[in-house]
Amino acid sequence: MISNEIQRFYDPTFTVTEEYKESLPDLQNGPASLIEGANVPIQQVGISNFKLPLKFRRREGEPITLEASVDGYVSLEMDKKGINMSRIMRTFYKFQDKVFHLDRLEDILKAYKEDLDSQESFLRISFNYPMLMDSLRSGMKGYQYYKVQLEGRLDNYNQFQKYMHLDFEYSSACPCSYELSEHARETREVAAIPHSQRSVANVTVALKDEFFVEDLVQICRNALKTETQVMVKREDEQAFAEMNGAYQKFVEDAARLLYDELDSYNSIRDFVVRCVHMESLHSHDAVSRICKGLPNGLR
Ligand SMILES: Nc1nc2c(ncn2[C@@H]2O[C@H](COP(=O)(O)OP(=O)(O)OP(=O)(O)O)[C@@H](O)[C@H]2O)c(=O)[nH]1
């Protein structure tokens, strides 16, 4: 019986029986008449940024456990009010003890489609991946952390697409500014320092074969050469200055260098790259965006 007097009281001993659970309102599984707005399908609905520790596969050695942030979504058909939202997280937790890599996402995406009775599913796992990096000349080492995302999609034909995103930080020394500085020194004996800046390449690759974070890092290093350093003594700083002298680049050069390198890898089906040079010359950024852009690919 419902009393008219509602009490402000939390009972820590209250236990839920099956019968009580059955009596709970279940709005998200209610009739289409409960839908607000247009009764149309929703492409993605789910949870963003739930966190847990996950074991990630490395190219060499034991897997590494890292804090991961997960976005999980499914599609929702018309006539359905909502999804069983907690299943996005509960289904993911069934895989929490597995070692994570891109192909593992396909298993979870299939489980999403089954557990949430959906046509399509989508997953993105974000984490910071540490790699030991050698100093240029001093023989020291330090941890470089890379912002990485593994992404998977399963469409209504069960076709699995997998992607990796990496933010790669590098230094860009302006070739024009270098020539202008040399000109000042040679013609007027005036000291001048060309501008250079910390820059970032946001790289997304669509993959067809096995692929590791280490592979994408290596591709970026091969293309751009001037990755920002971790442990730096004077001999390393001088080496870095020489390296930037050898590998000067406009933002256009950075994009094309990455294109060349990414295009030479068989396991990469398609890619898109956005380079941002946070100019010390300007108060604004210089930006380039380049893609292989296959039909139905990344653009
Ligand atoms: N669909 C949906 N659910 C939401 C939202 N915000 C909060 N929720 C709540 O998420 C809770 C958990 O959802 P469910 O997975 O359906 O929980 P459940 O019905 O006990 O779980 P099942 O045993 O899987 O059926 C529900 O109480 C919802 O009300 C929202 O925006 N959409």
Side-chain angles (χ1 to χ4, degrees):
M1 210 175 76
I2 300 172
S3 142
N4 284 334
E5 281 185 37
I6 296 195
Q7 302 172 58
R8 288 179 173 233
F9 170 66
Y10 178 72
D11 178 1
T13 65
F14 181 76
T15 46
V16 176
T17 62
E18 276 306 315
E19 193 189 1
Y20 184 84
K21 220 162 30 170
E22 281 301 309
S23 75
L24 290 173
D26 194 8
L27 227 63
Q28 57 275 22
N29 293 316
S33 58
L34 290 179
I35 290 172
E36 302 273 349
N39 183 358
V40 292
I42 297 178
Q43 285 72 36
Q44 287 182 356
V45 51
I47 303 183
S48 169
N49 195 26
F50 67 88
K51 292 186 178 165
L52 74 170
L54 292 179
K55 284 195 279 293
F56 290 96
R57 192 170 65 177
R58 295 190 295 166
R59 182 165 252 303
E60 280 163 17
E62 291 296 303
I64 183 169
T65 301
L66 300 169
E67 177 185 309
S69 158
V70 182
D71 298 341
Y73 303 105
V74 291
S75 59
L76 182 68
E77 292 153 53
M78 66 182 294
D79 288 333
K80 288 187 175 175
K81 166 75 175 169
I83 64 166
N84 287 102
M85 191 73 84
S86 74
R87 294 185 198 177
I88 295 281
M89 211 159 154
R90 285 155 56 207
T91 297
F92 192 94
Y93 266 70
K94 292 181 196 165
F95 297 84
Q96 64 172 316
D97 296 323
K98 305 270 187 202
V99 175
F100 272 74
H101 50 85
L102 269 167
D103 290 316
R104 173 80 59 220
L105 301 194
E106 187 173 6
D107 304 335
I108 307 171
L109 290 166
K110 281 183 179 153
Y112 271 0
K113 282 176 73 161
E114 250 170 55
D115 292 355
L116 287 115
D117 190 24
S118 287
Q119 299 294 312
E120 297 181 10
S121 50
F122 174 96
L123 253 181
R124 187 191 296 119
I125 306 181
S126 309
F127 53 96
N128 290 316
Y129 188 81
M131 281 172 62
L132 256 187
M133 184 182 189
D134 292 325
S135 299
L136 291 173
R137 286 181 181 153
S138 65
M140 300 181 76
K141 287 175 192 296
Y143 281 103
Q144 186 81 287
Y145 272 78
Y146 297 94
K147 270 175 89 173
V148 177
Q149 294 181 329
L150 307 181
E151 192 177 308
R153 292 157 189 254
L154 202 59
D155 67 15
N156 50 352
Y157 302 107
N158 268 341
Q159 279 190 357
F160 175 56
Q161 306 287 355
K162 53 184 175 178
Y163 309 90
M164 186 181 288
H165 307 273
L166 170 75
D167 288 355
F168 183 85
E169 292 194 354
Y170 60 100
S171 161
S172 58
C174 177
C176 181
S177 190
Y178 173 77
E179 295 299 334
L180 293 169
S181 301
E182 289 294 290
H183 181 272
R185 190 177 60 80
E186 283 164 15
T187 60
R188 293 181 291 121
E189 293 180 346
V190 171
I193 295 182
H195 73 90
S196 66
Q197 50 270 320
R198 192 184 309 165
S199 306
V200 62
N202 311 121
V203 182
T204 299
V205 289
L207 296 157
K208 48 184 176 192
D209 298 321
E210 189 173 52
F211 198 76
F212 293 86
V213 175
E214 288 86 343
D215 297 330
L216 197 48
V217 169
Q218 194 55 50
I219 285 170
C220 293
R221 285 179 179 169
N222 292 347
L224 300 170
K225 313 285 189 202
T226 51
E227 179 173 12
T228 51
Q229 301 293 299
V230 183
M231 285 284 191
V232 174
K233 294 188 73 186
R234 276 174 299 161
E235 58 267 42
D236 303 312
E237 183 165 354
Q238 188 178 54
F240 193 65
E242 291 170 28
M243 196 181 245
N244 275 276
Y247 300 110
Q248 303 168 27
K249 44 186 121 23
F250 282 141
V251 76
E252 296 91 332
D253 300 324
R256 289 186 175 126
L257 286 163
L258 280 163
Y259 188 107
D260 223 12
E261 196 68 26
L262 289 162
D263 201 33
S264 68
Y265 276 75
N266 283 336
S267 43
I268 298 177
R269 187 170 57 77
D270 200 4
F271 57 81
V272 57
V273 175
R274 184 174 188 267
C275 295
V276 182
H277 290 189
M278 290 157 271
E279 300 274 300
S280 63
L281 168 66
H282 301 293
S283 311
H284 50 257
D285 300 338
V287 176
S288 60
R289 191 169 180 281
I290 200 165
C291 61
K292 186 166 178 178
L294 296 177
N296 302 320
L298 295 160
R299 274 174 196 277

